[in-house]
Amino acid sequence: MYRRAAGVLMPILAVALVITGFWGYREHRQKQAVLLKAENQYQRAFHDLTAHVDQLQDELGKAMAINSVRQQTPCMTNIWRLAFAAQSDVGQLPLTLMPFHKTQEFLNNIGQFSYRLGVKDPQKPLGAEDWATLKNLYGQAAQVETDLRQVQSNVLSHNLRWMDAEMAMSDTQKKGDNQIIDGFQKLEKQVTEFPEVSFGPTNRTLESRIQEQPMQALGPEASPQQVAGKVKQFLGLAGKETVKVQENGKGNPTPSYSVTVQDGQASHMFLDVTKQGAHVLWYMNDRAVNGEKVDLSTGAAGAASWLRAHGYPVMEMIQADQTDNVGVYEFVPVERGIRLYPDKVTVKVALDNGEVIGLSAKDYVYHHRPRNLPVPTLSLAKAQQRLSPHVTVQEHHLALIPNDEKQEVLAYEFLGTIDRDTYRIYINAQNGDEEGVEKMRREPSGTAQSW
């Protein structure tokens, strides 16, 4: 009887073992395929980061040697593009469990600084202060480049894997021992020790972060899945696109996610989204812009319509520029007739078809809030008397602006001309102090581009 039972059960057990073994082998193969794909993505992002920083450092050196305004603008635009690409590369690396925000801030500052220089008055070369800033950034970028190349050399010579580094970083029982981790920690420490760089008046808002609202005011904490859904809604995606959400480095002063979207075509879309409330901080579509079929004014109308459709309040455009078939527009909210400059947003429009391909909304996300707006105690006529007698006033507005003490102040904003040049001049609406003067860029026609 037992022999008979064994004769029946043995083949069944053998078949079960074969099936179990095959299932386990298939699961192992699938897991290995997923790990290999992740490793390949990490390796690609890391080597792209190294290449972009190499190119960035070269472009900064080139910018120092340029003395032609015609060459200056495309060079600065290229620096901005490379800094932006490097930030995107960092966001695709598994650095969530280690502080890396100083290096990200360094790349962001280079991008913001070069963007401002790229759209400055095209009639003038770099000033002495801007050139000194470029020189400092060039030296600092060289150090970042050296540290990254050392990590890259170790990765290539020792066949290091990013998946091992990720496991080492997640080990809470002991300190991770990994050459990749060590290299990036050395880089972050190096950037932390960089001396402060003066970005001059072109980038005053970089250094004067005024009265940011508390993070909890942005809303409840969002999960990666919720952020992916918010991004799909924000971009109006059809649902077939690949959305990858990566939490930014631990210790970042403003917790956020980096999001990469691929629609199956050649272009990619990149976003930064806050962890609290899932607000979009910036967005870029890196598709090619082929030619110019939409004029700058039509692009501006499209940008304003896009902002309304995405839930932004009443906005006024304060500046428009064009670079390489792309319109760049700055908007500020308006309340009770007062322009809120701390809450500025910037929109990029592709002038081949009018599509919005970029957004910078950090200032808006971190500063926009209900305010008890002050009432001017100085009359418009008395404020205008504080202007230089050489200025011919074209228009005026009330504006809330950041002053040198990082405080929000109410000012009269005067748009005026001296000869063929146009200026924005801010007179404090409470005490009559001159809070700032901004020279506006001139279009080739000789008129300032104001709105």
Side-chain angles (χ1 to χ4, degrees):
M1 177 178 177
Y2 291 108
R3 288 184 179 180
R4 185 178 303 171
V8 173
L9 291 175
M10 286 300 291
I12 295 175
L13 289 173
V15 171
L17 286 172
V18 170
I19 293 174
T20 302
F22 175 76
W23 178 82
Y25 174 74
R26 188 180 64 176
E27 288 292 305
H28 174 74
R29 288 289 301 272
Q30 290 177 343
K31 182 180 179 181
Q32 289 299 112
V34 171
L35 293 175
L36 179 61
K37 182 178 179 181
E39 178 65 29
N40 289 339
Q41 290 175 340
Y42 292 152
Q43 292 286 356
R44 177 192 56 77
F46 170 64
H47 293 299
D48 284 350
L49 171 63
T50 305
H52 285 141
V53 171
D54 285 349
Q55 297 169 29
L56 177 63
Q57 204 263 347
D58 289 343
E59 285 294 315
L60 286 166
K62 175 182 173 182
M64 292 167 56
I66 287 176
N67 197 38
S68 163
V69 175
R70 185 174 65 85
Q71 295 292 330
Q72 176 181 306
T73 295
C75 181
M76 291 299 170
T77 302
N78 201 31
I79 291 172
W80 174 79
R81 180 185 63 80
L82 289 167
F84 200 94
Q87 290 181 76
S88 175
D89 297 332
V90 170
Q92 297 177 58
L93 293 174
L95 302 176
T96 307
L97 300 176
M98 64 179 290
F100 204 63
H101 62 273
K102 279 294 182 182
T103 304
Q104 292 173 303
E105 181 182 341
F106 171 71
L107 293 171
N108 180 67
N109 285 348
I110 290 179
Q112 294 284 349
F113 178 69
S114 58
Y115 169 75
R116 292 297 180 191
L117 290 182
V119 297
K120 269 182 78 175
D121 184 359
Q123 307 302 317
K124 289 184 178 181
L126 291 179
E129 185 178 1
D130 289 335
W131 192 91
T133 299
L134 272 176
K135 184 179 180 181
N136 286 331
L137 292 176
Y138 174 74
Q140 293 175 357
Q143 184 61 59
V144 172
E145 178 188 34
T146 299
D147 290 345
L148 278 175
R149 282 190 172 183
Q150 182 60 52
V151 178
Q152 186 181 48
S153 176
N154 289 336
V155 168
L156 295 175
S157 61
H158 297 95
N159 294 317
L160 302 180
R161 300 196 316 159
W162 276 94
M163 297 303 298
D164 294 336
E166 187 173 29
M167 291 178 64
M169 282 187 285
S170 63
D171 189 345
T172 58
Q173 301 301 318
K174 62 179 181 178
K175 180 181 177 181
D177 181 16
N178 185 277
Q179 292 185 62
I180 293 179
I181 298 174
D182 294 343
F184 272 80
Q185 287 178 337
K186 177 185 176 183
L187 172 58
E188 178 72 358
K189 182 175 183 294
Q190 181 71 47
V191 175
T192 302
E193 294 173 352
F194 283 163
E196 290 293 328
V197 174
S198 172
F199 289 92
T202 59
N203 248 33
R204 185 169 68 174
T205 56
L206 282 179
E207 298 175 321
S208 58
R209 288 295 178 194
I210 55 168
Q211 197 178 345
E212 292 184 354
Q213 58 181 328
M215 290 297 101
Q216 61 267 26
L218 298 178
E221 185 174 302
S223 67
Q225 294 76 17
Q226 290 171 321
V227 167
K230 174 67 179 287
V231 166
K232 290 180 180 179
Q233 181 183 9
F234 180 84
L235 298 177
L237 301 181
K240 298 181 180 180
E241 298 80 4
T242 301
V243 179
K244 180 180 178 182
V245 181
Q246 174 82 41
E247 186 173 355
N248 284 329
K250 186 178 181 180
N252 196 310
T254 53
S256 62
Y257 296 99
S258 287
V259 184
T260 304
V261 180
Q262 186 172 3
D263 60 3
Q265 302 175 359
S267 65
H268 290 70
M269 290 169 275
F270 305 98
L271 305 92
D272 255 14
V273 180
T274 61
K275 197 170 184 178
Q276 301 294 135
H279 300 279
V280 176
L281 296 172
W282 60 259
Y283 155 64
M284 181 185 73
N285 184 337
D286 71 349
R287 76 167 178 84
V289 179
N290 303 310
E292 180 184 343
K293 299 178 182 177
V294 177
D295 61 35
L296 198 61
S297 179
T298 303
S305 177
W306 185 90
L307 288 171
R308 288 194 300 271
H310 283 76
Y312 288 89
V314 176
M315 294 254 182
E316 282 187 9
M317 187 167 59
I318 58 170
Q319 183 74 34
D321 297 287
Q322 180 175 344
T323 303
D324 296 334
N325 302 321
V326 174
V328 182
Y329 308 94
E330 294 182 357
F331 290 83
V332 293
V334 179
E335 291 184 16
R336 288 172 33 195
I338 300 173
R339 292 178 167 183
L340 306 180
Y341 274 84
D343 305 0
K344 181 185 68 176
V345 299
T346 302
V347 181
K348 292 177 63 178
V349 176
L351 299 181
D352 56 356
N353 63 2
E355 178 188 13
V356 171
I357 59 171
L359 170 73
S360 177
K362 285 185 177 181
D363 288 338
Y364 178 85
V365 170
Y366 293 140
H367 295 147
H368 190 67
R369 63 190 184 280
R371 292 179 172 92
N372 293 319
L373 294 172
V375 177
T377 58
L378 194 71
S379 69
L380 174 63
K382 288 187 176 181
Q384 190 163 338
Q385 291 174 6
R386 303 296 181 101
L387 300 175
S388 165
H390 304 288
V391 174
T392 302
V393 175
Q394 304 293 327
E395 58 183 79
H396 56 81
H397 309 271
L398 275 173
L400 195 72
I401 64 170
N403 65 7
D404 293 332
E405 285 73 41
K406 304 180 183 180
Q407 299 172 331
E408 292 182 349
V409 297
L410 183 66
Y412 287 103
E413 174 189 5
F414 294 97
L415 191 71
T417 58
I418 300 177
D419 296 329
R420 298 176 62 221
D421 294 319
T422 304
Y423 300 85
R424 277 200 179 101
I425 305 169
Y426 300 95
I427 302 297
N428 192 301
Q430 311 296 338
N431 58 27
D433 289 345
E434 188 175 71
E435 296 289 351
V437 177
E438 175 187 355
K439 186 175 185 294
M440 300 183 64
R441 75 183 295 256
R442 284 169 51 191
E443 298 302 298
S445 62
T447 60
Q449 186 77 319
S450 62
W451 303 85

